[in-house]
Amino acid sequence: MNPLAKELNDILAGTLAEELLSDYGKRMYFPKGIISQSAEAKQKAHKYNATIGIATEHGNAMCIPSVFAEFTGDLSKNDVFPYSPTAGELPLRKIWLQEMVKKNPSMAGKTTSLPVVTGGLTHAISLAASLFLDKGESIIVPDMYWGNYNLVFTEQREAEQVSFPLFADGKLNITGLSETIDAIEGPHVAMILNFPNNPTGYTPTNDEAARLVSMLVSKAQQGRKLLIFTDDAYFGLFFEKDICRESLFSLLCDAHENIFAIKGDAATKEEMVWGFRVGFITYNSKGMTEAQYEAMVKKTMGAIRGNVSSCSKPAQSILLKGMQSATYHKEKEAGIAVIGERYRLMKQVLAKYAGNAYLTPLPFNSGYFMSFVCAGDAEKLRLHLLDTYEVGTISIKNAYLRLAFSSTDLEEIEDLVRIVYQGAKEVFA
Amino acid sequence: MNPLAKELNDILAGTLAEELLSDYGKRMYFPKGIISQSAEAKQKAHKYNATIGIATEHGNAMCIPSVFAEFTGDLSKNDVFPYSPTAGELPLRKIWLQEMVKKNPSMAGKTTSLPVVTGGLTHAISLAASLFLDKGESIIVPDMYWGNYNLVFTEQREAEQVSFPLFADGKLNITGLSETIDAIEGPHVAMILNFPNNPTGYTPTNDEAARLVSMLVSKAQQGRKLLIFTDDAYFGLFFEKDICRESLFSLLCDAHENIFAIKGDAATKEEMVWGFRVGFITYNSKGMTEAQYEAMVKKTMGAIRGNVSSCSKPAQSILLKGMQSATYHKEKEAGIAVIGERYRLMKQVLAKYAGNAYLTPLPFNSGYFMSFVCAGDAEKLRLHLLDTYEVGTISIKNAYLRLAFSSTDLEEIEDLVRIVYQGAKEVFA
């Protein structure tokens, strides 16, 4: 093991984080090589700095002018062309944490690691899986989940996904999760929870969230060591009053020494910049010190450096400028309101089909999507809708059909739903 | 194993690629999930498309206006906000291949896979390592190499780096590489070759390149199965006439059925967009069919999707616009010329110190850097230069000192070199 990895492990000694690290996670370190020598030079090399691995002229990044011409004058060459730091732009990491605490009042006064910039939310999940999941280990994933988890957990990490039904009687299946935790052997239990959920568009009610957290804390009290990854991709897209508007991560912050919580979130959907590839990973566990959080950040930086070196600089600079605009919050709310209007119309229209024999909507109250339970092969229905009506939908596990109201204009919703029910009747009757 | 992985392996059956794939590489596939259903819908869902996992309004990506304001009017919302395809923007992949063939005339008439966009060159190396290197396997790496290989090969893949001296008597050590290949047990031999080299700034002469290729082909003829990754990060920065201006990948294209060549290259340094994070991975092996290259692309896409989902869209769109500009080639050449001028001055200045007892320049003729062999502890010299002269340099393995002429202005070079020699005398005398 590299001595720098050992140093970090020594700092983490006795923490739950250290106990839960994968072999790879234990081996991870941030090298004292070119990057850290360059950082030193940035501080001290006031005369000449011959460390920099880019091309500069008089302190500014060189560039191809035709490329620079695609940016507005608001951005300098040094805003868009040099490498971003391995952990991301510091001002962006700080503003992201500030906003996180504003959006999640339960985090106030609690400490976490400073969010590390990742190349999107998938990257945050993939990094966390590398750092914490070993071959053959289990991770609990609800039965309604984003299919890409398969590539990360099953194929990349060779972990075993343990499933439980997300819903029981149209409500969040907290008992199911509790029993699934109990059925996992050994002290460690890893899980990923994604609310608002893809594909169902479900967020726990306030009451469900409180009971979920209390159940998880009770497991921790019983001695189970919980690794809880919250996939907050659709955070903020809350369309009902009584649902939990905080991240589960926030509610788990400092909840118990036996809980290590990892928040994966992203500008992707929260700031409507899907293609930018800017996500974040943030850690919390009760009792962890600043130095221990910093050690986890260093390990994460090592994992990033050996995978993608660093994340997109222009994306981070542009996002930061946008977030610093005086009208940013108002503009963001306006976008959410547009999707909210579609959500409400979708609810109204679906109500007319209540009791339909072929399609039953799963509970939804947030996010981008709603899903139907199909009375037959959902893939067959998808193909029928596509070929007969030129209507695109997503089939999942041949059992569910997902509609995105995020990308359906308001005036299309009623007719879209009509066609989907019509098609279902034709295929399933 | 997922049936889709088996399908791809069946297509690849009998190829060297299939034989060389790691366990992970064999398991990789591109899922027929949301992404491929969305792609179908894009073709056929002319009425309503409710598959799209972003927010749209009347067919355009929604956005926060303050973020969009950072782009010029030349770029539409759909140019910068939606997800990029998993393998990257098709027009960019095509133009990159066209340019690659222009820059590497030996590739003319030979087929390769279509380059797949990666999040920079590190990502290309990391993907290739995942797809082709198993725990405990060897990979040959010259003794002068980019330190980040350690995180990729040793820590991420747990492969064994087998070293050989890059130079012998001031020339490329082809015999050393040949002997190192012979010493590897088993039929498979993996290696990574990086020219122009970091940290030395060395590119083989035309004669050396020809002999290197001929040596590699002779190993293939003897039945060795070679996986050759060419790290072309600094491609194009050639400052001497008699050096090989083609990628080693180009010279290895279709060279022998027992050679599988992987080209890792990037816009990063070639187009001076370091922070964009746009790289490419391209495959060639003699006799591979279009369908087989496509199967390798699919596996690579699976590896990308389970790691970062996709790469930065605005970076790709901006790069593409820049590359399509009428003045792009001229502007690019102008940038290379600026670095070339510094290179030539560096050579002139160093000539004055020929025979110096403390610092001996290693051969260099290209790239961003030159390195000295130190007559003492290079790290001690680095710290001395930094603390006493406020001059930043990079020390490598305590034995070498690297200077970047890419980031040193022309008027600074003479004085920089003077200070470095002065410091070396003070520390090593």
Side-chain angles (χ1 to χ4, degrees):
Chain A
M1 186 179 291
N2 188 290
L4 294 171
K6 221 196 142 291
E7 255 178 50
L8 296 177
N9 295 343
D10 287 347
I11 294 171
L12 289 167
T15 63
L16 181 58
E18 186 231 5
E19 184 177 336
L20 295 173
L21 283 170
S22 65
D23 275 357
Y24 171 81
K26 292 203 171 76
R27 284 199 306 278
M28 260 307 103
Y29 63 94
F30 191 69
K32 282 205 175 131
I34 289 163
I35 292 278
S36 73
Q37 293 183 27
S38 293
E40 260 185 85
K42 208 173 175 180
Q43 299 294 320
K44 295 190 189 174
H46 302 297
K47 194 159 177 69
Y48 307 129
N49 186 353
T51 66
I52 306 170
I54 72 167
T56 62
E57 258 179 328
H58 309 300
N60 291 311
M62 288 173 65
C63 70
I64 293 177
S66 291
V67 176
F68 190 45
E70 298 298 325
F71 296 96
T72 63
D74 202 25
L75 292 157
S76 73
K77 290 177 188 173
N78 285 349
D79 283 333
V80 296
F81 292 121
Y83 293 111
S84 172
T86 310
E89 300 293 331
L90 194 58
L92 180 63
R93 297 170 65 194
K94 286 183 174 170
I95 203 174
W96 193 259
L97 182 59
Q98 278 165 20
E99 290 289 320
M100 192 192 293
V101 176
K102 265 195 232 166
K103 293 180 283 194
N104 294 281
S106 302
M107 285 181 69
K110 292 167 186 164
T111 53
T112 65
S113 61
L114 191 61
V116 170
V117 174
T118 64
L121 192 31
T122 306
H123 196 209
I125 300 173
S126 163
L127 289 167
S130 297
L131 291 168
F132 290 101
L133 270 189
D134 270 315
K135 183 171 172 170
E137 286 185 345
S138 301
I139 178 162
I140 299 175
V141 179
D143 66 342
M144 299 305 282
Y145 69 100
W146 185 40
N148 202 16
Y149 290 175
N150 297 335
L151 282 178
V152 184
F153 301 133
T154 307
E155 305 302 343
Q156 184 190 321
R157 299 306 300 167
E158 298 181 80
E160 194 202 343
Q161 292 184 46
V162 179
S163 183
F164 74 97
L166 182 63
F167 297 116
D169 301 325
K171 297 198 176 343
L172 187 68
N173 183 15
I174 298 169
T175 308
L177 175 56
S178 169
E179 289 168 358
T180 308
I181 292 171
D182 291 345
I184 300 270
E185 286 182 26
H188 301 163
V189 182
M191 69 191 75
I192 185 163
L193 297 171
N194 160 232
F195 300 117
N197 175 261
N198 174 4
T200 65
Y202 191 74
T203 290
T205 63
N206 284 315
D207 175 58
E208 284 173 338
R211 285 189 293 119
L212 173 60
V213 169
S214 139
M215 181 275 285
L216 293 168
V217 170
S218 78
K219 302 296 179 196
Q221 286 164 342
Q222 290 157 30
R224 304 308 294 272
K225 314 284 180 93
L226 306 182
L227 177 81
I228 304 175
F229 188 98
T230 68
D231 171 351
D232 291 348
Y234 299 87
F235 184 87
L237 295 152
F238 301 120
F239 305 127
E240 295 289 349
K241 281 211 171 132
D242 66 330
I243 64 177
C244 180
R245 284 167 185 257
E246 289 201 47
S247 165
L248 187 59
F249 174 86
S250 161
L251 306 182
L252 291 170
C253 266
D254 291 355
H256 196 280
E257 288 83 356
N258 282 344
I259 294 177
F260 186 76
I262 308 178
K263 187 181 203 300
D265 55 21
T268 310
K269 290 166 182 100
E270 287 199 51
E271 319 305 334
M272 302 204 283
V273 290
W274 306 273
F276 277 34
R277 313 318 295 137
V278 178
F280 299 87
I281 188 165
T282 310
Y283 304 108
N284 171 275
S285 189
K286 189 174 181 181
M288 265 180 89
T289 64
E290 286 287 341
Q292 287 165 340
Y293 282 127
E294 187 51 31
M296 273 312 307
V297 165
K298 279 267 164 38
K299 281 184 178 282
T300 310
M301 287 166 64
I304 290 171
R305 179 144 175 88
N307 178 208
V308 298
S309 273
S310 59
C311 301
S312 179
K313 171 104 178 179
Q316 290 180 66
S317 292
I318 288 169
L319 179 64
L320 184 62
K321 292 256 182 196
M323 289 181 77
Q324 287 167 337
S325 140
T327 50
Y328 152 73
H329 283 103
K330 221 177 76 185
E331 291 169 11
K332 179 174 165 169
E333 286 310 314
I336 296 174
V338 168
I339 303 174
E341 236 188 313
R342 297 175 188 170
Y343 161 83
R344 275 182 296 278
L345 180 59
M346 182 69 97
K347 280 270 169 183
Q348 279 173 30
V349 172
L350 287 171
K352 297 182 198 160
Y353 297 87
N356 180 283
Y358 311 112
L359 293 175
T360 311
L362 284 168
F364 71 107
N365 51 28
S366 55
Y368 276 8
F369 311 114
M370 64 77 52
S371 292
F372 295 103
V373 181
C374 298
D377 184 346
E379 174 64 7
K380 224 170 137 181
L381 173 56
R382 179 184 79 86
L383 291 172
H384 177 68
L385 291 168
L386 195 58
D387 293 333
T388 310
Y389 297 103
E390 301 190 330
V391 163
T393 58
I394 297 282
S395 75
I396 296 167
K397 300 190 212 171
N398 296 326
Y400 306 96
L401 196 79
R402 189 188 84 176
L403 303 185
F405 47 83
S406 62
S407 51
T408 306
D409 289 318
L410 194 68
E411 61 272 24
E412 299 177 345
I413 283 178
E414 187 160 8
D415 196 37
L416 167 70
V417 171
R418 185 189 62 74
I419 293 172
V420 169
Y421 274 97
Q422 173 70 26
K425 190 178 163 189
E426 287 159 6
V427 173
F428 300 146
Chain B
M1 187 179 292
N2 189 290
L4 294 171
K6 221 195 143 292
E7 254 178 51
L8 296 177
N9 295 343
D10 286 347
I11 294 170
L12 289 167
T15 63
L16 181 57
E18 186 231 5
E19 184 177 336
L20 294 174
L21 282 171
S22 65
D23 275 357
Y24 171 81
K26 291 202 172 76
R27 284 199 306 277
M28 259 309 102
Y29 63 93
F30 191 70
K32 283 204 174 129
I34 290 163
I35 292 278
S36 72
Q37 293 184 27
S38 293
E40 260 185 86
K42 207 172 175 181
Q43 299 295 320
K44 295 189 188 174
H46 302 296
K47 193 158 176 71
Y48 306 129
N49 186 353
T51 66
I52 306 170
I54 71 168
T56 62
E57 258 178 329
H58 309 299
N60 291 312
M62 288 173 66
C63 70
I64 293 177
S66 291
V67 175
F68 191 45
E70 298 297 325
F71 296 96
T72 63
D74 202 25
L75 292 157
S76 73
K77 290 178 188 172
N78 285 349
D79 283 333
V80 296
F81 292 121
Y83 293 111
S84 171
T86 310
E89 300 293 331
L90 194 57
L92 180 64
R93 298 170 65 195
K94 286 183 174 169
I95 203 174
W96 192 259
L97 182 59
Q98 278 166 21
E99 290 289 320
M100 192 192 293
V101 176
K102 265 195 231 165
K103 293 180 282 195
N104 294 281
S106 302
M107 285 181 69
K110 293 167 186 164
T111 53
T112 64
S113 61
L114 191 60
V116 170
V117 174
T118 64
L121 192 31
T122 306
H123 196 209
I125 300 174
S126 163
L127 289 166
S130 297
L131 291 168
F132 290 101
L133 270 189
D134 270 315
K135 182 171 173 170
E137 286 185 345
S138 301
I139 178 162
I140 299 174
V141 179
D143 66 342
M144 299 305 282
Y145 68 100
W146 184 40
N148 202 15
Y149 289 175
N150 297 336
L151 282 177
V152 184
F153 300 133
T154 307
E155 305 302 343
Q156 184 190 322
R157 299 307 300 167
E158 298 181 79
E160 194 202 342
Q161 291 183 45
V162 178
S163 183
F164 74 97
L166 182 62
F167 296 116
D169 301 325
K171 297 197 178 340
L172 187 68
N173 184 14
I174 298 169
T175 308
L177 175 56
S178 169
E179 289 168 358
T180 308
I181 293 171
D182 291 345
I184 301 268
E185 285 181 27
H188 300 163
V189 182
M191 69 191 75
I192 184 163
L193 296 170
N194 160 231
F195 300 117
N197 174 261
N198 174 5
T200 65
Y202 191 74
T203 290
T205 62
N206 284 315
D207 175 58
E208 284 173 338
R211 285 189 293 119
L212 173 60
V213 169
S214 140
M215 182 275 285
L216 293 168
V217 169
S218 77
K219 303 296 179 197
Q221 286 165 343
Q222 290 158 30
R224 304 308 294 272
K225 313 284 181 93
L226 306 181
L227 177 82
I228 304 175
F229 188 98
T230 68
D231 171 351
D232 291 348
Y234 299 87
F235 184 87
L237 295 153
F238 302 120
F239 305 127
E240 296 289 349
K241 280 208 172 134
D242 65 330
I243 64 177
C244 181
R245 283 166 186 257
E246 289 201 46
S247 165
L248 187 59
F249 174 86
S250 161
L251 305 182
L252 291 170
C253 266
D254 290 356
H256 195 280
E257 288 82 357
N258 282 343
I259 294 176
F260 185 76
I262 308 178
K263 187 181 203 300
D265 54 21
T268 310
K269 289 165 182 101
E270 288 199 50
E271 319 305 333
M272 302 204 283
V273 290
W274 306 273
F276 277 34
R277 314 317 297 137
V278 178
F280 300 87
I281 189 165
T282 310
Y283 304 108
N284 171 275
S285 190
K286 190 175 182 182
M288 265 179 89
T289 63
E290 287 287 341
Q292 288 165 340
Y293 282 128
E294 187 51 30
M296 273 312 307
V297 164
K298 279 266 163 39
K299 281 184 178 281
T300 310
M301 286 165 64
I304 290 170
R305 179 146 174 87
N307 178 207
V308 298
S309 273
S310 59
C311 301
S312 178
K313 171 104 177 178
Q316 291 180 66
S317 292
I318 288 169
L319 180 65
L320 184 62
K321 291 257 183 195
M323 289 181 77
Q324 287 167 336
S325 140
T327 50
Y328 151 73
H329 283 103
K330 222 177 77 186
E331 291 168 11
K332 179 174 165 168
E333 286 310 314
I336 295 174
V338 168
I339 303 174
E341 236 188 315
R342 296 175 189 170
Y343 161 83
R344 275 182 295 278
L345 180 59
M346 182 69 98
K347 279 270 169 183
Q348 279 173 30
V349 172
L350 287 171
K352 297 181 197 161
Y353 297 87
N356 180 284
Y358 311 112
L359 293 175
T360 311
L362 284 168
F364 72 107
N365 51 27
S366 55
Y368 277 8
F369 312 114
M370 64 78 50
S371 292
F372 294 103
V373 181
C374 298
D377 184 347
E379 174 64 7
K380 225 170 137 182
L381 173 56
R382 179 184 79 86
L383 292 171
H384 177 68
L385 290 169
L386 195 57
D387 293 333
T388 310
Y389 296 103
E390 301 190 331
V391 163
T393 59
I394 297 282
S395 75
I396 296 167
K397 299 191 213 172
N398 296 327
Y400 306 96
L401 196 79
R402 189 189 83 176
L403 303 184
F405 47 83
S406 63
S407 52
T408 306
D409 288 318
L410 195 67
E411 60 273 23
E412 299 177 344
I413 283 178
E414 187 160 8
D415 196 38
L416 166 70
V417 172
R418 185 189 62 75
I419 293 172
V420 169
Y421 274 96
Q422 173 69 26
K425 191 178 162 188
E426 288 158 6
V427 173
F428 300 146

